[in-house]
Structure formats: C-alpha cells, structure tokens
Amino acid sequence: MGRSPCCNDVSELKKGPWTPEEDELLVSYIQKNGLGSWRALPKAAGLNRCGKSCRLRWTNYLRPDIKRGRFTEDEEDMIIKLHSVLGNKWSRIAAHLPGRTDNEIKNYWNTHLRKKLLQMGIDPVTHKPRNDLNLLANLSQLLSTTPQNLGYNPLSNWDINNALRIQPNVAAEVAKLQVLQNIFQILNTSNNSSPNIDHNMALNLGLIPNVNGIIGNNNNNNNNNNNNPMCSTSQGFYQAPNYGPNQTIVDHNNNNKYDYTQELYNTSLDINHNKSLSSSTTCETLDENRLPSLVNFSPKGSTINQIESNTNSTNGSCVLTPTATAELFEGWEKLLDDGNSDFWKEFIN
DNA sequence: AATAGACTCAACCGCAGTAAT
DNA sequence: CATTACTGCGGTTGAGTCTAT
C-alpha cells in the first residue's frame, strides 16, 4: 500500500484561470503558514483546487520575489548563452535569472528568442548556423532589411545599428554578409573534400583573418569544433563556446579572460560567472580553423568608426573599420570579376 | 468597423525521479 | 522490497489580446 492520493476526486476540483479571490486565499494562507505540503494546502486554505494547481500558481505567478516586466537585453543574452549550454533545462536556466520562473523563460524562448535565432540563421537547438535549406528562407528577410524596419528586426540591438545612422546602406550589406558568413561556416565545417576552395573564397571576401600570413590551416581536422555548441547573444555575436582548453571567454568591459571547461560550465555557472557573461562578453576561439565572427558587435563599437579593423592575431576575432570594410568589398569585387554566377551579383547588389 | 490570423502566456498534461507506506 | 502517490520539470494547449487587412 502506497501513499493516499493527492486529490480524491479531481473531477470536482476547479480548473482554469485563477480568480483574484482564489489568489488572495492562497497568498494569505502561505503568508500565515508558510510553504508546506501542497497536498494538504488547498483544503486548509479553503481552495477547491488540486495541490498541483496551487503550487503552479504560487511558483509561477504569486511568489513575491517574481520579477515582472519585459526581459532586459542582459537577461536575453544570459538565456541564450545558458540555453546553448544547458538546452531546454528551463529550471536550471531560471536558477541563474533571479525573479524569473522557468515557465516564463520557456515561454519567452518559444515566442521570442527562438524566432530571433532562426531569423539570424542560427539553429535554436544546436546554436550553430543552420545548414539546411531553411537557411535560404532567411535570405529574403535579411535582404529586405532596411534601417526603417530594423526597429523590429532582431538586428536592432546590434551596435552596428548605431553605425547605420551614419551609413544607412551598410545595414543590408552587413545582413547579407552575416548570412554569407554562416554559409561559409557551413562549408568550412561540412565539406572536407574541397576545404581550400572555401577558405580561399572566404579569404578573398575578408571573412577569414590572416593570421601571420597563414589563412585557415586545413591540415588540421576541420570537424574538431563540430561538437561544440555555439555561443550566441541577442546582439548577434555568434561564436564557438569556450569549453575546450583552447577557448577563452573574453569580457571586453574589463578585458578579463576566463577559462571554462565543459564541466565547469555545466555545473557551476554561478553569479560571478554570470557577471562575466554580460552583453559585452564574447567567446573567442584559439582554433585557427574556425571562421571568426564577421563583425564583433561588442558595445565597444557603438559607431562605425569604432568598429575596429584588422584581425586580432592572437584570437582570430575580426572586426571592421571603414578601411577594412573597403578591403572587404574589394574582395567581393574580385569574386565577381572572377566570373561567378549572376546569383552572387544579385545577392550583393 | 469587422474579421481573420498571429501572438502571448497562464495553466494544464504527462512523464520521470523520489519518497512514503 | 514493491507499490503507489508526490514533486518537479518540460511540452503543449487554448483563451484572451493584438495586428493587419
């Protein structure tokens, strides 16, 4: 013989939305008696509800420490980063976001963040660039991106957006290049038969940093990053997460670097670590095979002039200055002059 | 102004691990 | 030790609201 049932006759218990009167009964009971057995609570509180329903109402809505209102950018970044590590472990993600419930985070993910990543060409499950045909579905949206609709587009939070106030046409170009970077990322990781072509093409386009004159050393295993989930933020900076010994998390605010092992990430993303994963935090890889992020959307670069040029020879990150941008587009011209298809000409124009 | 479709989010459902008997 | 309910979690639903036409 086991336990007695939680609710003797569920059919007689009320379901559906809670009334203010029910809320008041539940809150006042818990304030008086504290949290105890959910099973016994409804009867003691005078509620015609199942204990499970009471628990849900309390934890997801009535708890006094629940934070209301829209998610902040930092919270979005945190959710995305934690999701890339933890997956759909909403309760564990919620543990790192004080005042937010797992249900709330789950809803926000499904209604906002998931779509946001999809629009960016990022698979919300793997946090890697999408390598299926659906990727092409993003092209039309990105290509139609204009400064006017950037307010609605996920790209709106990017610092590049500030730059667009100076050079509006750059918006669509960056959007296009972001897609192209994803495409090259896919080529780089999935096509081992002719990796040099991909690398050379990407090099011509300025998408691969020239590290000491050696670009994209393909002698190494191109797939050695495939098991790593991506690190992504609401600001559009996507790069390999930094679980491996060759990878580092960089906080551009204080220039600190942190070494995270997979185990550390999985088990102890504590408050201090959360701080290091602010919106200014990027994940940078020391692996030369990985394509760098096209543009570093760190808050540092709030204007076009601050989108720095040059490749960082130590970590491979690639950011743009006007000079670098010009060089990059020269690469495009070269590609066109080489007699590529009209597709690319149309794509770029 | 009316309507349909899209979106949001509170609440429910069902499963798995845990605990009581 | 077996049985069965409890608890917590993730997935899903659907009523209410918003938006576009």
Side-chain angles (χ1 to χ4, degrees), chain A residues 20 23 28 43 66 87 142 150 190 202 204 229 259 262:
Chain A
D23 285 345
S28 62
K43 194 175 179 183
I66 286 180
L142 281 168
L150 274 172
S190 63
N204 284 337
D259 288 325
Q262 180 83 47

Side-chain angles (χ1 to χ4, degrees), chain A residues 111-137:
Chain A
T111 58
H112 292 92
L113 298 181
R114 192 173 166 279
K115 291 175 189 171
K116 203 169 186 173
L117 295 191
L118 285 170
Q119 286 176 346
M120 291 170 157
I122 302 295
D123 186 324
V125 177
T126 64
H127 290 254
K128 292 181 179 179
R130 300 170 71 192
N131 59 356
D132 54 28
L133 291 176
N134 291 334
L135 177 65
L136 295 175

Side-chain angles (χ1 to χ4, degrees), chain A residues 209-214 257 284-288 309-319:
Chain A
N210 185 332
V211 182
N212 298 326
I214 301 171
K257 295 192 175 188
E284 294 173 355
T285 175
L286 300 182
D287 186 312
E288 291 179 2
S309 81
N310 305 331
T311 297
N312 182 325
S313 60
T314 56
N315 60 25
S317 64
C318 180
V319 286

Side-chain angles (χ1 to χ4, degrees), chain A residues 61-348:
Chain A
Y61 199 82
L62 297 175
R63 237 174 51 202
D65 59 330
I66 286 180
K67 190 197 282 186
R68 294 270 156 218
R70 297 180 68 84
F71 281 80
T72 65
E73 240 175 58
D74 279 349
E75 285 178 317
E76 282 191 12
D77 287 346
M78 182 63 64
I79 292 169
I80 293 171
K81 285 167 182 168
L82 287 167
H83 187 273
S84 73
V85 177
L86 301 171
N88 292 0
K89 300 295 179 187
W90 306 117
S91 62
R92 288 182 66 186
I93 293 172
H96 296 285
L97 290 155
R100 300 295 188 182
T101 69
D102 54 356
N103 203 40
E104 192 180 13
I105 293 169
K106 179 173 59 181
N107 282 332
Y108 193 67
W109 175 267
N110 287 327
T111 58
H112 292 92
L113 298 181
R114 192 173 166 279
K115 291 175 189 171
K116 203 169 186 173
L117 295 191
L118 285 170
Q119 286 176 346
M120 291 170 157
I122 302 295
D123 186 324
V125 177
T126 64
H127 290 254
K128 292 181 179 179
R130 300 170 71 192
N131 59 356
D132 54 28
L133 291 176
N134 291 334
L135 177 65
L136 295 175
N138 296 314
L139 288 174
S140 61
Q141 178 160 3
L142 281 168
L143 293 178
S144 64
T145 298
T146 67
Q148 284 72 31
N149 66 22
L150 274 172
Y152 177 76
N153 192 287
L155 304 182
S156 62
N157 289 332
W158 298 6
D159 290 312
I160 192 67
N161 203 21
N162 292 321
L164 304 181
R165 292 173 189 145
I166 301 170
Q167 293 190 323
N169 291 338
V170 176
E173 302 302 330
V174 170
K176 293 171 189 175
L177 293 174
Q178 196 74 37
V179 173
L180 278 167
Q181 185 196 12
N182 287 345
I183 293 171
F184 284 121
Q185 185 86 53
I186 294 161
L187 293 173
N188 182 51
T189 56
S190 63
N191 184 356
N192 287 324
S193 60
S194 57
N196 288 324
I197 294 173
D198 302 330
H199 270 285
N200 290 335
M201 186 181 293
L203 171 59
N204 284 337
L205 298 173
L207 297 174
I208 295 179
N210 185 332
V211 182
N212 298 326
I214 301 171
I215 302 303
N217 178 1
N218 286 296
N219 294 329
N220 296 329
N221 180 3
N222 275 320
N223 292 323
N224 62 355
N225 286 312
N226 282 356
N227 292 330
N228 290 348
M230 293 293 288
C231 177
S232 48
T233 81
S234 66
Q235 296 178 325
F237 189 94
Y238 291 90
Q239 207 150 22
N242 303 280
Y243 312 139
N246 293 330
Q247 292 177 321
T248 311
I249 284 179
V250 179
D251 188 330
H252 294 292
N253 276 344
N254 55 25
N255 219 22
N256 284 339
K257 295 192 175 188
Y258 307 92
D259 288 325
Y260 286 89
T261 64
Q262 180 83 47
E263 183 61 25
L264 174 64
Y265 234 115
N266 282 338
T267 57
S268 59
L269 259 177
D270 59 21
I271 294 300
N272 291 329
H273 293 136
N274 287 348
K275 275 187 176 176
S276 74
L277 293 174
S278 67
S279 61
S280 65
T281 304
T282 59
C283 303
E284 294 173 355
T285 175
L286 300 182
D287 186 312
E288 291 179 2
N289 285 336
R290 178 172 294 283
L291 292 174
S293 180
L294 176 62
V295 175
N296 184 346
F297 292 104
S298 158
K300 225 170 124 185
S302 57
T303 71
I304 190 75
N305 292 325
Q306 286 176 300
I307 300 176
E308 302 167 17
S309 81
N310 305 331
T311 297
N312 182 325
S313 60
T314 56
N315 60 25
S317 64
C318 180
V319 286
L320 301 175
T321 60
T323 306
T325 306
E327 288 171 1
L328 187 150
F329 283 104
E330 282 176 17
W332 282 106
E333 289 175 14
K334 187 180 176 189
L335 180 68
L336 291 174
D337 291 338
D338 286 343
N340 286 280
S341 70
D342 288 339
F343 168 78
W344 291 108
K345 290 184 179 177
E346 281 189 24
F347 186 81
I348 294 164

